[in-house]
Amino acid sequence: MASHSDTLVVFFGATAGANGGKLGSDEREIILLVWQIVDLREKKVGKLHRCLVKPDTLELADQCKEETGLSLDDVVNAEPLDKVLLQFQQSVTSELKCLDRSSYTLCVNSPLVIRQVLHPEASKKNLVLPECFFSFVDLRKEFEKCCPNTGPANKLEIASMLERIFFSSPPPRFSSFLLHLDHNFSLVETVKYKFDSGTCSKTEPVDNETIIRARGLPWQSSDQDIARFFKGLNIAKGGVALCLNAQGRRNGEALVRFVNSEHRDLALERHKHHMGSRYIEVYKATGEEFLKIAGGTSNEVTQFLSKENQVIIRMRGLPFTATPQEVLDFLGPESPVTDGAEGLLFVKYPDGRPTGDAFVLFSCDEYAQNAMKKHRQILGKRYIELFRSTAAEVQQVLTRYLSTPLISTLPASPIVPVPVLATPPFLPTASSSRDCVRLRGLPYTAGIEDILEFMGEHTADIKPHGVHMVLNQQGRPSGDAFIQMKSPDKAFMVSQKCHKKTMKDRYVEVFQCSTEEMSIVLMGGTLNRSGLSPPPCKLPCLSPPTAYAFPTPPTILSEAALYQPPLLAAPRPHQATHSPALAYYPPQPHLYMNMNYTAYYPRYAPAASSPVLPQPGALVRMQGLPYNTGVKDILSFFQGYQVSTCRDHMDEQARSLIQPKEWLCL
């Protein structure tokens, strides 16, 4: 309904919880709506309407009872929200007809009742709000426009505004205030009907005061679902960026960009509000974080997303040999793709190899819903997963796979004497020999001692450094472990004798597997009933990761070794007269491969079997140092400890190649 400044409909509301400045922050339902028509042309006011609303949850907070004077008995027999809104619409239409008016302006004393209460509740209850609730004027902002020296608009109260205008105590009624206020209401605020998807450039300036991070989202959530959670607040075009983990899958977080800081602040008030059965955490974020996720520079992505108002579906698990025509046939005629093959975008590695992911454009929700019915159906010999996607996710996935390497190219053939362990003791050469076992379903509290106890008499058949605990992305135990046995026969015996044996009240599954399967899983791949999948970002030009140690005779660092990311450091053996302690590899960050696990020395392994030569002291890694940290700062931090200069073990150039500013010898 179009705005008409001569006719105002003053609108108020109250919830079953907090009101005033915290209205809507506790996710409580509406229990009271009040409205009244004010005719500014004729200087008249209409009848005051006061309607109670029955909430789904019949419970009133003490603050609500005190401020509204209502009790639970008052709202038990009231009408639900949809019927009260219909009553509001009929009442206003009838009075306007008597005034010979066809339009009006909705006037509120705070945007909270519209943005934080009415729209979110209507969205959750799948109610269609009348058009008048998508535009309104905020009396406080209008008053600030008339009286610019009154202070921030969100701090103004009706009583103070009335006193300032009329200088009387007690002040006149609010409707009288509007009649005597000679002002043209022009600051009309709007609520977006729907979220507009779009792209964001890496070079686009983004205000830090407009970004939030939402955490705890259901993994199936799309940008439209997130926009619905923030219903009533205006999100910028393309302002929803779903965050992905190292495997390219959603991690339950999203960055959202609003049109201004006021809407961002209102979004922060929805901290721990619910999306379905899950509560969502909302925090402040920065424009840099948003651009890192949503920003893109790929011309291919820009061209793909150039069509407006398209619904995007992500397909995952496609056969590497799948063609555009096979994908179109798989989706079928009931879900036609926009522009046929032009509406398909296959995601590829930098060398052109397919990743098994693709994005598809549909012209409407109906076609997208028909496509979603093909979720987990078979194409070729693989089942295909389909998800609602976003333009920001397209940017993020393409950027992840097509970005240039993080390690800069070094000068040709540098010959630097660096002590490097030639054969990693924990990552074997990939082979098809089935001399390994996989333990699945371990208790998350299980340690190396528990595994060795679980293996029992078979512990003696474990290779040195042959126990590998697989960690998740947070560095916590995933419940999986791989163990290298001395022969395939030993591995077979363990899988037969220990399968479904109990560890801490949980049975553990034990399967025989090959060294190749173990290595791929440890580097970020997956091994399940569907078979073996390679690491998502494994590049063929990279050699397997090398462990760095410090033997006395220096060796020459090969050119290939220079390009290997330092993933794990070999620990120095503990000098003790009693049995040697367990050596532990902490999980380290990596650049290319999703390699996240810990390797252990079994306690039975003799010290002589370790290829690392005994040396005095211990090596400590310091993570999270400030960028301007100097040597004096580190030495001051370790005041009271004897710090070695490491000159006996390696030179400065060698240490800088291994891990600059992260390793310290004690």
Side-chain angles (χ1 to χ4, degrees):
M1 189 171 291
S3 174
H4 195 294
S5 58
D6 288 343
T7 309
L8 300 180
V9 175
V10 184
F11 188 81
F12 297 92
T15 68
N19 290 283
K22 287 294 184 179
L23 185 70
S25 62
D26 54 2
E27 210 177 2
R28 300 299 291 272
E29 296 174 89
I30 298 172
I31 61 167
L32 175 65
L33 291 181
V34 180
W35 67 88
Q36 185 177 28
I37 290 183
V38 178
D39 186 352
L40 299 180
R41 185 191 304 174
E42 302 294 336
K43 303 297 183 181
K44 296 179 180 179
V45 296
K47 179 183 176 181
L48 181 66
H49 299 270
R50 185 174 184 270
C51 287
L52 299 178
V53 183
K54 182 180 180 179
D56 292 342
T57 303
L58 293 174
E59 182 181 355
L60 302 183
D62 293 337
Q63 180 184 356
C64 169
K65 295 177 181 178
E66 181 180 347
E67 293 180 353
T68 63
L70 298 175
S71 64
L72 189 59
D73 295 335
D74 296 327
V75 300
V76 167
N77 298 320
E79 298 287 351
L81 180 61
D82 56 342
K83 292 187 178 181
V84 173
L85 291 176
L86 181 61
Q87 182 179 344
F88 163 82
Q89 197 170 12
Q90 293 173 346
S91 170
V92 171
T93 303
S94 175
E95 290 191 53
L96 286 176
K97 188 175 180 180
C98 295
L99 295 173
D100 196 20
R101 307 284 170 81
S102 59
S103 60
Y104 59 90
T105 298
L106 193 69
C107 179
V108 297
N109 72 317
S110 168
L112 298 180
V113 66
I114 300 293
R115 296 194 182 278
Q116 295 287 72
V117 177
L118 194 59
H119 277 279
E121 184 171 340
S123 177
K124 291 178 181 177
K125 296 181 178 179
N126 294 318
L127 303 179
V128 179
L129 289 176
E131 186 181 351
C132 63
F133 291 112
F134 288 86
S135 64
F136 61 93
V137 294
D138 184 355
L139 181 63
R140 296 182 181 184
K141 291 182 180 178
E142 296 285 352
F143 187 84
E144 185 184 28
K145 182 181 177 181
C146 294
C147 307
N149 298 324
T150 55
N154 59 352
K155 303 250 187 220
L156 294 174
E157 297 294 338
I158 291 180
S160 63
M161 289 189 288
L162 294 174
E163 290 176 3
R164 185 177 291 271
I165 291 292
F166 295 98
F167 302 101
S168 60
S169 181
R173 291 177 56 189
F174 179 68
S175 56
S176 300
F177 161 61
L178 292 176
L179 290 177
H180 290 82
L181 183 63
D182 186 13
H183 173 69
N184 181 26
F185 291 87
S186 58
L187 299 178
V188 179
E189 296 190 38
T190 60
V191 179
K192 285 189 175 182
Y193 286 92
K194 65 176 183 177
F195 167 71
D196 296 324
S197 60
T199 59
C200 178
S201 172
K202 285 281 188 185
T203 59
E204 182 178 341
V206 178
D207 186 0
N208 289 334
E209 300 301 315
T210 62
I211 309 299
I212 63 95
R213 178 184 294 272
R215 183 180 299 168
L217 299 166
W219 63 271
Q220 312 97 324
S221 299
S222 66
D223 53 353
Q224 298 293 341
D225 297 322
I226 297 171
R228 186 175 182 180
F229 175 78
F230 290 107
K231 187 67 174 176
L233 308 178
N234 294 343
I235 299 175
K237 182 177 181 180
V240 177
L242 297 169
C243 301
L244 307 180
N245 61 19
Q247 289 83 26
R249 303 188 179 190
R250 300 171 187 175
N251 63 2
E253 296 187 9
L255 293 168
V256 184
R257 178 187 181 188
F258 293 91
V259 293
N260 55 42
S261 59
E262 179 188 356
H263 290 235
R264 192 285 304 266
D265 293 340
L266 293 179
L268 292 173
E269 293 294 328
R270 300 196 187 183
H271 180 59
K272 291 196 173 181
H273 284 203
H274 288 77
M275 180 185 291
S277 59
R278 298 175 64 104
Y279 72 84
I280 309 301
E281 301 174 23
V282 183
Y283 305 99
K284 291 182 180 180
T286 65
E288 182 181 359
E289 291 176 305
F290 180 81
L291 286 177
K292 185 178 179 181
I293 300 298
T297 57
S298 172
N299 293 330
E300 186 180 13
V301 174
T302 304
Q303 183 178 358
F304 177 73
L305 298 174
S306 60
K307 303 176 181 63
E308 295 290 337
N309 301 322
Q310 298 291 310
V311 182
I312 306 174
I313 294 293
R314 181 181 180 183
M315 303 180 70
R316 195 168 63 198
L318 291 169
F320 297 143
T321 57
T323 64
Q325 188 57 47
E326 289 175 340
V327 174
L328 294 176
D329 294 340
F330 171 78
L331 295 172
E334 65 277 5
S335 50
V337 178
T338 302
D339 295 338
E342 296 296 325
L344 296 175
L345 178 63
F346 289 90
V347 184
K348 298 180 180 180
Y349 289 110
D351 60 358
R353 292 180 299 117
T355 64
D357 280 27
F359 292 94
V360 190
L361 294 179
F362 296 97
S363 59
C364 64
D365 274 323
E366 180 184 355
Y367 294 159
Q369 290 294 337
N370 292 337
M372 290 296 295
K373 295 176 183 177
K374 300 295 182 76
H375 181 58
R376 290 188 174 272
Q377 291 191 16
I378 303 297
L379 173 59
K381 295 183 179 179
R382 304 191 63 174
Y383 71 86
I384 311 300
E385 297 175 302
L386 286 89
F387 309 94
R388 293 291 291 265
S389 188
T390 68
E393 186 175 20
V394 178
Q395 291 275 25
Q396 189 179 357
V397 172
L398 266 292
T399 301
R400 178 185 299 274
Y401 285 114
L402 296 178
S403 60
T404 54
L406 298 176
I407 301 179
S408 58
T409 304
L410 300 180
S413 303
I415 305 300
V416 184
V418 178
V420 177
L421 186 62
T423 308
F426 53 89
L427 193 62
T429 303
S431 69
S432 58
S433 177
R434 300 177 63 81
D435 57 352
C436 301
V437 290
R438 178 189 184 187
L439 274 61
R440 187 170 68 183
L442 293 169
Y444 294 135
T445 57
I448 181 63
E449 295 284 352
D450 301 304
I451 291 180
L452 296 179
E453 182 180 353
F454 175 81
M455 298 286 290
E457 60 183 6
H458 302 286
T459 302
D461 299 325
I462 302 177
K463 286 184 179 180
H465 327 301
V467 181
H468 306 268
M469 301 283 288
V470 183
L471 307 181
N472 61 20
Q473 289 300 306
Q474 289 73 38
R476 299 170 182 169
S478 66
D480 278 24
F482 286 91
I483 300 178
Q484 295 172 251
M485 307 302 293
K486 292 182 178 179
S487 67
D489 293 338
K490 302 293 185 183
F492 177 78
M493 290 297 296
V494 172
S495 65
Q496 295 295 312
K497 294 291 183 67
C498 298
H499 183 57
K500 293 196 175 182
K501 184 179 173 182
T502 301
M503 178 190 297
K504 294 185 177 180
D505 298 329
R506 292 192 63 175
Y507 74 85
V508 179
E509 299 173 297
V510 183
F511 307 100
Q512 187 180 8
C513 64
S514 66
T515 305
E516 178 183 14
E517 294 170 336
M518 183 195 78
S519 300
I520 288 180
V521 172
L522 293 184
M523 288 190 292
T526 57
L527 177 63
N528 50 37
R529 296 178 180 177
S530 301
L532 188 66
S533 300
C537 297
K538 183 180 178 183
L539 298 181
C541 59
L542 290 178
S543 302
T546 301
Y548 294 94
F550 312 99
T552 302
T555 60
I556 301 299
L557 180 66
S558 65
E559 185 175 357
L562 283 172
Y563 297 94
Q564 297 169 354
L567 299 178
L568 298 174
R572 299 185 179 186
H574 178 68
Q575 301 295 322
T577 55
H578 53 78
S579 60
L582 297 173
Y584 167 70
Y585 294 99
Q588 306 295 344
H590 52 89
L591 298 178
Y592 286 107
M593 290 167 287
N594 181 32
M595 187 176 185
N596 202 4
Y597 68 96
T598 55
Y600 297 87
Y601 291 97
R603 57 185 174 185
Y604 61 84
S609 65
S610 174
V612 183
L613 299 179
Q615 294 180 6
L619 193 65
V620 177
R621 183 183 186 189
M622 302 177 67
Q623 287 182 296
L625 291 173
Y627 292 115
N628 58 353
T629 301
V631 176
K632 291 183 179 180
D633 300 315
I634 297 177
L635 294 178
S636 175
F637 180 81
F638 285 99
Q639 186 176 4
Y641 294 86
Q642 184 177 358
V643 181
S644 170
T645 62
C646 297
R647 297 183 186 274
D648 297 333
H649 312 309
M650 68 181 92
D651 56 29
E652 285 291 330
Q653 193 172 12
R655 289 208 311 277
S656 65
L657 281 173
I658 294 174
Q659 278 284 29
K661 295 184 180 180
E662 287 192 346
W663 297 100
L664 188 72
C665 289
L666 295 179

